[in-house]
Coordinates of all heavy atoms in Angstrom, one line a residue:
V1 N -21.3 -27.9 -39.1 CA -20.2 -26.9 -38.9 C -20.9 -25.6 -38.5 O -21.8 -25.1 -39.2 CB -19.4 -26.8 -40.2 CG1 -18.4 -25.7 -40.0 CG2 -18.8 -28.1 -40.5
T2 N -20.3 -24.9 -37.5 CA -20.8 -23.6 -37.1 C -19.7 -22.6 -37.5 O -18.5 -22.8 -37.2 CB -21.0 -23.5 -35.6 OG1 -22.0 -24.5 -35.3 CG2 -21.5 -22.1 -35.2
V3 N -20.1 -21.5 -38.2 CA -19.1 -20.4 -38.5 C -19.5 -19.2 -37.6 O -20.6 -18.7 -37.7 CB -19.2 -20.1 -40.0 CG1 -18.3 -18.9 -40.3 CG2 -18.9 -21.3 -40.8
L4 N -18.6 -18.8 -36.8 CA -18.8 -17.7 -35.9 C -18.0 -16.5 -36.5 O -16.8 -16.6 -36.6 CB -18.3 -17.9 -34.5 CG -19.1 -18.9 -33.7 CD1 -18.5 -19.1 -32.3 CD2 -20.6 -18.5 -33.5
S5 N -18.7 -15.5 -36.9 CA -18.1 -14.3 -37.5 C -18.1 -13.1 -36.5 O -19.2 -12.8 -36.0 CB -18.8 -13.9 -38.8 OG -18.2 -12.8 -39.3
A6 N -17.0 -12.5 -36.2 CA -17.0 -11.4 -35.3 C -17.6 -10.2 -35.9 O -17.2 -9.7 -37.0 CB -15.5 -11.1 -34.9
A7 N -18.7 -9.7 -35.3 CA -19.4 -8.5 -35.8 C -18.8 -7.2 -35.3 O -19.2 -6.1 -35.8 CB -20.9 -8.6 -35.4
D8 N -17.9 -7.3 -34.4 CA -17.3 -6.1 -33.8 C -15.8 -6.3 -33.6 O -15.4 -7.4 -33.3 CB -18.0 -5.8 -32.4 CG -17.7 -4.5 -31.8 OD1 -16.6 -4.4 -31.2 OD2 -18.5 -3.6 -31.9
P9 N -15.0 -5.2 -33.8 CA -13.6 -5.4 -33.6 C -13.1 -5.7 -32.2 O -12.1 -6.2 -32.0 CB -13.0 -4.1 -34.2 CG -14.1 -3.1 -34.1 CD -15.4 -3.9 -34.2
T10 N -14.0 -5.4 -31.3 CA -13.7 -5.6 -29.8 C -14.6 -6.7 -29.3 O -15.6 -6.5 -28.7 CB -13.8 -4.3 -29.0 OG1 -15.2 -3.9 -29.1 CG2 -12.8 -3.3 -29.4
T11 N -14.1 -7.9 -29.5 CA -14.9 -9.1 -29.1 C -14.8 -9.3 -27.6 O -13.7 -9.3 -27.1 CB -14.4 -10.3 -29.9 OG1 -14.6 -10.1 -31.3 CG2 -15.2 -11.6 -29.5
D12 N -15.9 -9.5 -27.0 CA -16.0 -9.8 -25.5 C -15.5 -11.3 -25.4 O -16.2 -12.2 -25.9 CB -17.4 -9.6 -25.0 CG -17.5 -9.9 -23.5 OD1 -17.0 -10.9 -23.1 OD2 -18.2 -9.1 -22.9
R13 N -14.4 -11.4 -24.7 CA -13.8 -12.8 -24.5 C -14.7 -13.8 -23.9 O -14.8 -14.9 -24.2 CB -12.5 -12.7 -23.7 CG -11.3 -12.2 -24.5 CD -10.8 -13.3 -25.3 NE -9.5 -13.2 -25.7 CZ -9.1 -13.6 -26.9 NH1 -9.9 -14.0 -27.7 NH2 -7.8 -13.5 -27.2
T14 N -15.5 -13.3 -22.9 CA -16.4 -14.2 -22.2 C -17.5 -14.7 -23.1 O -17.8 -15.9 -23.1 CB -17.0 -13.5 -20.9 OG1 -15.9 -13.1 -20.1 CG2 -17.9 -14.4 -20.2
V15 N -18.1 -13.8 -23.8 CA -19.1 -14.1 -24.8 C -18.6 -15.1 -25.9 O -19.2 -16.1 -26.2 CB -19.8 -12.9 -25.4 CG1 -20.8 -13.3 -26.5 CG2 -20.5 -12.1 -24.3
R16 N -17.4 -14.8 -26.4 CA -16.8 -15.6 -27.4 C -16.6 -17.0 -26.9 O -17.0 -18.0 -27.5 CB -15.4 -15.0 -27.8 CG -14.7 -15.9 -28.8 CD -13.2 -15.3 -28.9 NE -12.4 -16.3 -29.6 CZ -11.7 -17.2 -29.0 NH1 -11.7 -17.4 -27.7 NH2 -11.0 -18.1 -29.7
D17 N -16.0 -17.1 -25.7 CA -15.8 -18.5 -25.1 C -17.1 -19.2 -24.9 O -17.2 -20.4 -25.1 CB -15.0 -18.3 -23.8 CG -13.6 -17.9 -24.0 OD1 -13.1 -18.0 -25.1 OD2 -13.0 -17.5 -23.0
Q18 N -18.2 -18.5 -24.4 CA -19.5 -19.1 -24.2 C -20.0 -19.7 -25.6 O -20.6 -20.8 -25.6 CB -20.5 -18.2 -23.6 CG -20.2 -17.9 -22.2 CD -21.0 -16.7 -21.6 OE1 -21.6 -16.0 -22.3 NE2 -21.1 -16.6 -20.3
L19 N -19.9 -18.9 -26.6 CA -20.4 -19.3 -27.9 C -19.6 -20.5 -28.4 O -20.2 -21.5 -29.0 CB -20.3 -18.1 -28.9 CG -21.3 -17.0 -28.7 CD1 -20.9 -15.8 -29.6 CD2 -22.7 -17.5 -29.0
L20 N -18.3 -20.4 -28.3 CA -17.5 -21.6 -28.7 C -17.8 -22.8 -28.0 O -18.0 -23.9 -28.6 CB -16.0 -21.2 -28.6 CG -15.4 -20.2 -29.5 CD1 -14.0 -19.9 -29.1 CD2 -15.4 -20.7 -30.9
N21 N -18.0 -22.8 -26.7 CA -18.3 -23.9 -25.9 C -19.7 -24.5 -26.3 O -19.9 -25.7 -26.4 CB -18.2 -23.7 -24.4 CG -16.8 -23.5 -24.0 OD1 -15.9 -24.0 -24.5 ND2 -16.6 -22.7 -22.9
H22 N -20.6 -23.6 -26.4 CA -22.0 -23.9 -26.8 C -22.0 -24.7 -28.1 O -22.6 -25.8 -28.2 CB -22.9 -22.7 -26.9 CG -24.3 -22.9 -27.4 ND1 -25.3 -23.4 -26.6 CD2 -24.8 -22.9 -28.6 CE1 -26.4 -23.6 -27.3 NE2 -26.1 -23.2 -28.5
F23 N -21.4 -24.1 -29.2 CA -21.5 -24.8 -30.5 C -20.6 -26.0 -30.6 O -20.9 -26.9 -31.4 CB -21.2 -23.7 -31.6 CG -22.4 -22.8 -31.7 CD1 -22.3 -21.5 -31.4 CD2 -23.6 -23.2 -32.3 CE1 -23.4 -20.6 -31.5 CE2 -24.7 -22.4 -32.4 CZ -24.6 -21.1 -32.0
R24 N -19.5 -26.0 -29.9 CA -18.6 -27.2 -30.0 C -19.3 -28.4 -29.4 O -19.1 -29.5 -29.9 CB -17.3 -27.0 -29.2 CG -16.3 -26.1 -29.9 CD -15.0 -26.0 -29.2 NE -14.1 -25.2 -29.9 CZ -13.3 -24.3 -29.4 NH1 -13.3 -24.0 -28.1 NH2 -12.5 -23.5 -30.2
A25 N -20.2 -28.2 -28.4 CA -21.0 -29.3 -27.8 C -22.1 -29.8 -28.8 O -22.6 -30.8 -28.5 CB -21.5 -28.8 -26.5
R26 N -22.4 -29.0 -29.8 CA -23.6 -29.3 -30.6 C -23.3 -29.6 -32.1 O -24.1 -30.1 -32.8 CB -24.6 -28.2 -30.5 CG -25.2 -28.1 -29.1 CD -25.9 -26.8 -28.8 NE -26.6 -26.8 -27.6 CZ -25.9 -26.6 -26.4 NH1 -24.6 -26.5 -26.3 NH2 -26.6 -26.7 -25.3
T27 N -22.1 -29.2 -32.6 CA -21.8 -29.3 -34.0 C -20.5 -30.0 -34.2 O -19.7 -30.1 -33.2 CB -21.8 -28.0 -34.7 OG1 -20.8 -27.1 -34.2 CG2 -23.1 -27.3 -34.6
G28 N -20.2 -30.5 -35.4 CA -19.0 -31.2 -35.6 C -17.8 -30.4 -35.6 O -16.7 -30.9 -35.3
A29 N -17.9 -29.1 -35.9 CA -16.7 -28.2 -35.9 C -17.2 -26.8 -35.7 O -18.3 -26.5 -36.1 CB -15.9 -28.4 -37.2
V30 N -16.3 -26.0 -35.2 CA -16.6 -24.5 -35.1 C -15.4 -23.8 -35.8 O -14.2 -24.1 -35.5 CB -16.7 -24.1 -33.7 CG1 -17.0 -22.6 -33.6 CG2 -17.9 -24.8 -33.0
V31 N -15.7 -22.9 -36.7 CA -14.7 -22.1 -37.3 C -15.0 -20.6 -37.0 O -16.1 -20.2 -37.1 CB -14.7 -22.3 -38.8 CG1 -13.6 -21.4 -39.5 CG2 -14.5 -23.8 -39.2
E32 N -13.9 -19.9 -36.6 CA -14.1 -18.5 -36.3 C -13.6 -17.6 -37.5 O -12.5 -17.9 -38.1 CB -13.3 -18.1 -35.1 CG -13.8 -18.7 -33.8 CD -13.0 -18.1 -32.6 OE1 -13.3 -17.0 -32.1 OE2 -12.1 -18.8 -32.2
I33 N -14.4 -16.6 -37.8 CA -14.0 -15.6 -38.8 C -13.7 -14.3 -38.1 O -14.6 -13.8 -37.3 CB -15.1 -15.4 -39.8 CG1 -15.6 -16.7 -40.4 CG2 -14.7 -14.4 -40.9 CD1 -14.5 -17.5 -41.2
P34 N -12.5 -13.7 -38.2 CA -12.3 -12.5 -37.5 C -13.1 -11.3 -38.0 O -13.6 -11.3 -39.2 CB -10.8 -12.3 -37.8 CG -10.5 -12.9 -39.1 CD -11.4 -14.1 -39.1
Y35 N -13.2 -10.3 -37.2 CA -13.8 -9.0 -37.6 C -13.1 -8.5 -38.9 O -11.9 -8.5 -39.0 CB -13.8 -8.0 -36.5 CG -14.3 -6.6 -37.0 CD1 -15.6 -6.4 -37.1 CD2 -13.4 -5.7 -37.5 CE1 -16.1 -5.1 -37.5 CE2 -13.8 -4.4 -37.9 CZ -15.2 -4.2 -38.0 OH -15.6 -3.0 -38.4
D36 N -13.9 -8.0 -39.8 CA -13.3 -7.4 -41.0 C -14.2 -6.3 -41.4 O -15.4 -6.5 -41.6 CB -13.1 -8.4 -42.1 CG -12.3 -7.9 -43.2 OD1 -12.6 -6.9 -43.9 OD2 -11.2 -8.6 -43.5
S37 N -13.7 -5.0 -41.6 CA -14.6 -3.9 -41.9 C -15.2 -4.1 -43.3 O -16.3 -3.5 -43.6 CB -13.8 -2.6 -41.9 OG -12.7 -2.7 -42.8
E38 N -14.6 -4.9 -44.2 CA -15.2 -5.2 -45.5 C -16.5 -5.9 -45.4 O -17.4 -5.7 -46.2 CB -14.2 -5.9 -46.4 CG -14.7 -6.3 -47.7 CD -15.1 -5.1 -48.6 OE1 -14.6 -4.0 -48.4 OE2 -15.8 -5.3 -49.6
I39 N -16.6 -6.8 -44.4 CA -17.9 -7.5 -44.1 C -18.8 -6.6 -43.3 O -20.0 -6.6 -43.6 CB -17.6 -8.8 -43.4 CG1 -16.7 -9.7 -44.3 CG2 -18.9 -9.5 -43.0 CD1 -16.2 -11.0 -43.6
A40 N -18.3 -5.9 -42.4 CA -19.1 -5.1 -41.4 C -19.9 -4.0 -42.1 O -21.0 -3.6 -41.6 CB -18.2 -4.5 -40.3
H41 N -19.5 -3.5 -43.2 CA -20.2 -2.4 -43.8 C -21.5 -2.8 -44.4 O -22.4 -1.9 -44.7 CB -19.3 -1.7 -44.9 CG -19.1 -2.5 -46.1 ND1 -20.0 -2.8 -47.1 CD2 -17.9 -3.0 -46.6 CE1 -19.5 -3.5 -48.1 NE2 -18.2 -3.6 -47.8
G42 N -21.8 -4.1 -44.6 CA -23.1 -4.6 -45.0 C -23.4 -4.6 -46.4 O -24.4 -5.1 -46.8
G43 N -22.5 -4.2 -47.3 CA -22.7 -4.2 -48.7 C -22.1 -5.5 -49.3 O -21.7 -6.4 -48.6
P44 N -22.0 -5.5 -50.6 CA -21.3 -6.6 -51.3 C -19.9 -6.8 -50.8 O -19.2 -5.8 -50.5 CB -21.3 -6.2 -52.8 CG -22.4 -5.2 -52.9 CD -22.5 -4.5 -51.6
I45 N -19.5 -8.0 -50.6 CA -18.2 -8.3 -50.1 C -17.2 -8.5 -51.3 O -17.5 -9.3 -52.1 CB -18.2 -9.6 -49.2 CG1 -19.1 -9.3 -48.0 CG2 -16.8 -9.9 -48.8 CD1 -19.4 -10.6 -47.2
R46 N -16.2 -7.7 -51.3 CA -15.1 -7.8 -52.3 C -14.0 -8.7 -51.7 O -13.3 -8.2 -50.8 CB -14.7 -6.5 -52.7 CG -15.8 -5.6 -53.3 CD -15.5 -4.2 -53.5 NE -15.3 -3.7 -52.1 CZ -15.0 -2.5 -51.8 NH1 -14.7 -1.6 -52.7 NH2 -14.8 -2.1 -50.5
W47 N -13.8 -9.9 -52.2 CA -12.8 -10.8 -51.7 C -11.4 -10.1 -51.7 O -10.7 -10.3 -50.7 CB -12.7 -12.0 -52.6 CG -11.8 -13.1 -52.2 CD1 -10.6 -13.3 -52.7 CD2 -12.0 -14.0 -51.2 NE1 -10.0 -14.4 -52.1 CE2 -10.8 -14.8 -51.1 CE3 -13.0 -14.3 -50.2 CZ2 -10.7 -15.9 -50.2 CZ3 -12.8 -15.3 -49.3 CH2 -11.7 -16.1 -49.3
S48 N -11.1 -9.4 -52.7 CA -9.8 -8.7 -52.7 C -9.6 -7.7 -51.6 O -8.4 -7.3 -51.3 CB -9.5 -8.1 -54.1 OG -10.4 -7.1 -54.3
Q49 N -10.7 -7.2 -51.1 CA -10.6 -6.2 -50.0 C -10.6 -6.7 -48.6 O -10.4 -6.0 -47.6 CB -11.8 -5.2 -50.1 CG -11.8 -4.4 -51.5 CD -10.5 -3.6 -51.6 OE1 -10.1 -2.8 -50.8 NE2 -9.8 -3.8 -52.8
L50 N -10.8 -8.0 -48.5 CA -10.7 -8.7 -47.2 C -9.3 -8.7 -46.7 O -8.4 -8.9 -47.5 CB -11.3 -10.1 -47.2 CG -12.8 -10.2 -47.5 CD1 -13.2 -11.7 -47.7 CD2 -13.6 -9.6 -46.4
A51 N -9.1 -8.7 -45.4 CA -7.8 -8.9 -44.8 C -7.3 -10.3 -45.0 O -8.2 -11.2 -45.2 CB -7.9 -8.6 -43.3
D52 N -6.0 -10.5 -45.1 CA -5.5 -11.8 -45.3 C -6.0 -12.8 -44.3 O -6.4 -14.0 -44.7 CB -4.0 -11.8 -45.3 CG -3.3 -11.1 -46.5 OD1 -4.0 -11.0 -47.5 OD2 -2.2 -10.7 -46.4
S53 N -6.1 -12.4 -43.1 CA -6.6 -13.3 -42.0 C -8.0 -13.7 -42.2 O -8.4 -14.9 -42.0 CB -6.4 -12.7 -40.6 OG -7.1 -11.5 -40.5
T54 N -8.8 -12.8 -42.8 CA -10.2 -13.1 -43.0 C -10.3 -14.1 -44.2 O -11.1 -15.1 -44.2 CB -11.0 -11.8 -43.3 OG1 -10.8 -10.9 -42.2 CG2 -12.5 -12.1 -43.5
R55 N -9.6 -13.8 -45.3 CA -9.6 -14.7 -46.4 C -9.2 -16.2 -46.0 O -9.8 -17.2 -46.4 CB -8.7 -14.2 -47.5 CG -9.4 -13.1 -48.3 CD -8.7 -12.8 -49.6 NE -7.3 -12.6 -49.5 CZ -6.7 -11.4 -49.4 NH1 -7.5 -10.3 -49.3 NH2 -5.4 -11.2 -49.3
T56 N -8.1 -16.2 -45.2 CA -7.6 -17.5 -44.7 C -8.7 -18.2 -43.9 O -8.9 -19.4 -44.0 CB -6.3 -17.3 -43.9 OG1 -5.4 -16.7 -44.8 CG2 -5.8 -18.6 -43.4
A57 N -9.4 -17.5 -43.0 CA -10.4 -18.1 -42.2 C -11.6 -18.6 -43.0 O -12.1 -19.7 -42.7 CB -10.9 -17.0 -41.2
W58 N -12.0 -17.9 -44.0 CA -13.1 -18.3 -44.9 C -12.6 -19.6 -45.7 O -13.4 -20.5 -45.9 CB -13.6 -17.2 -45.8 CG -14.6 -16.4 -45.1 CD1 -14.4 -15.1 -44.7 CD2 -15.9 -16.7 -44.7 NE1 -15.5 -14.6 -44.1 CE2 -16.5 -15.6 -44.0 CE3 -16.6 -17.9 -44.7 CZ2 -17.7 -15.6 -43.5 CZ3 -17.9 -18.0 -44.2 CH2 -18.4 -16.8 -43.6
I59 N -11.4 -19.6 -46.2 CA -10.9 -20.8 -46.8 C -10.9 -22.0 -45.9 O -11.3 -23.1 -46.2 CB -9.5 -20.6 -47.4 CG1 -9.6 -19.6 -48.6 CG2 -8.8 -21.9 -47.9 CD1 -8.3 -19.0 -49.0
H60 N -10.5 -21.7 -44.7 CA -10.5 -22.8 -43.6 C -12.0 -23.2 -43.4 O -12.2 -24.4 -43.2 CB -9.9 -22.3 -42.3 CG -9.9 -23.3 -41.2 ND1 -9.2 -24.5 -41.2 CD2 -10.5 -23.2 -40.0 CE1 -9.5 -25.1 -40.1 NE2 -10.3 -24.4 -39.4
A61 N -12.9 -22.3 -43.3 CA -14.3 -22.7 -43.1 C -14.8 -23.6 -44.2 O -15.5 -24.6 -44.0 CB -15.2 -21.4 -43.0
G62 N -14.5 -23.2 -45.5 CA -14.9 -24.0 -46.6 C -14.3 -25.4 -46.5 O -15.0 -26.4 -46.8
A63 N -13.0 -25.5 -46.2 CA -12.3 -26.8 -46.1 C -12.9 -27.6 -45.0 O -13.1 -28.8 -45.1 CB -10.8 -26.5 -45.9
T64 N -13.3 -27.0 -43.9 CA -13.9 -27.7 -42.8 C -15.2 -28.3 -43.1 O -15.5 -29.4 -42.8 CB -14.0 -26.8 -41.5 OG1 -12.7 -26.3 -41.2 CG2 -14.6 -27.5 -40.3
V65 N -16.0 -27.5 -43.8 CA -17.3 -28.0 -44.3 C -17.1 -29.2 -45.2 O -17.8 -30.2 -45.0 CB -18.1 -26.9 -45.0 CG1 -19.4 -27.5 -45.7 CG2 -18.6 -25.8 -44.0
A66 N -16.2 -29.1 -46.1 CA -15.9 -30.2 -47.1 C -15.4 -31.4 -46.3 O -15.9 -32.6 -46.5 CB -14.9 -29.8 -48.1
H67 N -14.6 -31.3 -45.3 CA -14.1 -32.4 -44.5 C -15.2 -33.1 -43.7 O -15.3 -34.3 -43.7 CB -13.0 -31.9 -43.6 CG -12.4 -32.9 -42.6 ND1 -11.6 -33.9 -43.1 CD2 -12.6 -33.1 -41.3 CE1 -11.3 -34.7 -42.1 NE2 -11.9 -34.2 -41.0
V68 N -16.0 -32.3 -43.1 CA -17.2 -32.9 -42.3 C -18.1 -33.6 -43.3 O -18.6 -34.7 -42.9 CB -17.9 -31.8 -41.5 CG1 -19.2 -32.3 -40.9 CG2 -16.9 -31.3 -40.4
L69 N -18.4 -33.1 -44.4 CA -19.2 -33.8 -45.4 C -18.6 -35.1 -45.8 O -19.3 -36.1 -46.0 CB -19.5 -32.9 -46.6 CG -20.4 -31.7 -46.4 CD1 -20.5 -30.8 -47.6 CD2 -21.8 -32.1 -46.0
V70 N -17.3 -35.1 -46.1 CA -16.6 -36.4 -46.4 C -16.8 -37.4 -45.3 O -17.1 -38.6 -45.5 CB -15.2 -36.1 -46.8 CG1 -14.4 -37.4 -46.8 CG2 -15.1 -35.4 -48.1
Q71 N -16.6 -36.9 -44.1 CA -16.7 -37.8 -42.9 C -18.1 -38.4 -42.8 O -18.3 -39.6 -42.6 CB -16.4 -37.1 -41.6 CG -14.9 -36.8 -41.4 CD -14.6 -36.1 -40.1 OE1 -15.4 -35.2 -39.7 NE2 -13.6 -36.4 -39.5
Q72 N -19.1 -37.5 -43.0 CA -20.5 -38.0 -43.0 C -20.8 -39.0 -44.1 O -21.4 -40.0 -43.9 CB -21.5 -36.8 -43.0 CG -22.9 -37.2 -43.0 CD -23.3 -37.9 -41.7 OE1 -22.9 -37.5 -40.6 NE2 -24.0 -39.0 -41.8
D73 N -20.3 -38.7 -45.2 CA -20.4 -39.6 -46.4 C -19.8 -41.0 -46.1 O -20.4 -42.0 -46.4 CB -19.9 -39.0 -47.6 CG -20.3 -39.7 -48.9 OD1 -21.5 -40.1 -49.0 OD2 -19.4 -40.0 -49.8
Q74 N -18.6 -41.0 -45.5 CA -18.0 -42.2 -45.2 C -18.7 -43.0 -44.2 O -18.9 -44.3 -44.3 CB -16.5 -42.0 -44.7 CG -15.6 -41.5 -45.8 CD -14.3 -41.0 -45.3 OE1 -14.1 -40.7 -44.1 NE2 -13.3 -40.9 -46.2
R75 N -19.3 -42.3 -43.2 CA -20.1 -43.0 -42.2 C -21.4 -43.6 -42.8 O -21.8 -44.7 -42.5 CB -20.5 -42.1 -41.0 CG -19.4 -41.8 -40.1 CD -19.9 -41.1 -38.8 NE -20.4 -39.8 -39.1 CZ -19.7 -38.6 -39.1 NH1 -18.4 -38.7 -38.9 NH2 -20.3 -37.5 -39.3
T76 N -22.0 -42.9 -43.7 CA -23.2 -43.3 -44.4 C -22.9 -44.6 -45.2 O -23.6 -45.6 -45.2 CB -23.8 -42.2 -45.3 OG1 -24.1 -41.1 -44.4 CG2 -25.0 -42.7 -46.0
L77 N -21.8 -44.5 -46.0 CA -21.4 -45.7 -46.8 C -21.1 -46.9 -46.0 O -21.4 -48.0 -46.3 CB -20.2 -45.3 -47.7 CG -20.5 -44.3 -48.8 CD1 -19.2 -43.9 -49.5 CD2 -21.5 -44.9 -49.8
A78 N -20.4 -46.7 -44.9 CA -20.0 -47.8 -44.0 C -21.3 -48.4 -43.4 O -21.4 -49.6 -43.3 CB -19.1 -47.3 -42.9
A79 N -22.3 -47.6 -43.0 CA -23.5 -48.1 -42.4 C -24.3 -48.9 -43.5 O -24.9 -49.9 -43.2 CB -24.4 -47.0 -41.9
R80 N -24.3 -48.5 -44.7 CA -25.0 -49.2 -45.8 C -24.3 -50.6 -46.0 O -25.0 -51.5 -46.4 CB -25.0 -48.4 -47.1 CG -25.9 -47.3 -47.0 CD -25.9 -46.5 -48.3 NE -26.7 -45.3 -48.3 CZ -26.6 -44.3 -49.1 NH1 -25.7 -44.4 -50.1 NH2 -27.3 -43.2 -49.0
R81 N -23.0 -50.7 -45.8 CA -22.3 -51.9 -46.1 C -22.5 -53.0 -45.0 O -22.4 -54.2 -45.2 CB -20.8 -51.7 -46.2 CG -20.4 -51.0 -47.5 CD -18.9 -50.8 -47.6 NE -18.6 -49.9 -48.7 CZ -17.9 -48.8 -48.5 NH1 -17.4 -48.5 -47.4 NH2 -17.7 -48.0 -49.5
S82 N -22.9 -52.5 -43.8 CA -23.0 -53.4 -42.7 C -24.5 -53.9 -42.5 O -25.4 -53.7 -43.2 CB -22.5 -52.9 -41.4 OG -22.9 -51.6 -41.2

């Protein structure tokens, strides 16, 4: 799973699309995290200070990682049975 976090509030669409295409071709999933000044300041991240869209994106990232791990585990177990 690749997590792409916007480091700047003005994301270059072309670069974004290139990154998405690059990582989609190489990893099981790509999750985008929107720009958030709470992350950009570089200090400790306070969950309660993140924008709703950022919190939702991070929850989605965690769920995606869990889903991909379950899929991999199922493939591994199936391979052992055969």
Side-chain angles (χ1 to χ4, degrees):
V1 176
T2 301
V3 177
L4 292 177
S5 180
D8 188 281
T10 57
T11 302
D12 181 314
R13 282 279 202 222
T14 302
V15 173
R16 176 189 168 271
D17 290 344
Q18 289 171 343
L19 288 169
L20 288 172
N21 290 331
H22 174 82
F23 287 110
R24 281 184 182 138
R26 289 163 177 79
T27 62
V30 178
V31 179
E32 291 185 84
I33 307 297
Y35 172 83
D36 194 301
S37 60
E38 177 63 19
I39 295 172
H41 69 69
I45 298 170
R46 297 166 297 179
W47 183 258
S48 64
Q49 298 301 308
L50 293 173
D52 288 341
S53 60
T54 305
R55 285 196 302 270
T56 299
W58 277 111
I59 290 168
H60 177 66
T64 301
V65 169
H67 178 74
V68 170
L69 288 173
V70 167
Q71 288 179 320
Q72 181 61 42
D73 191 46
Q74 289 171 342
R75 285 191 296 268
T76 301
L77 291 173
R80 287 181 185 163
R81 289 185 193 121
S82 47

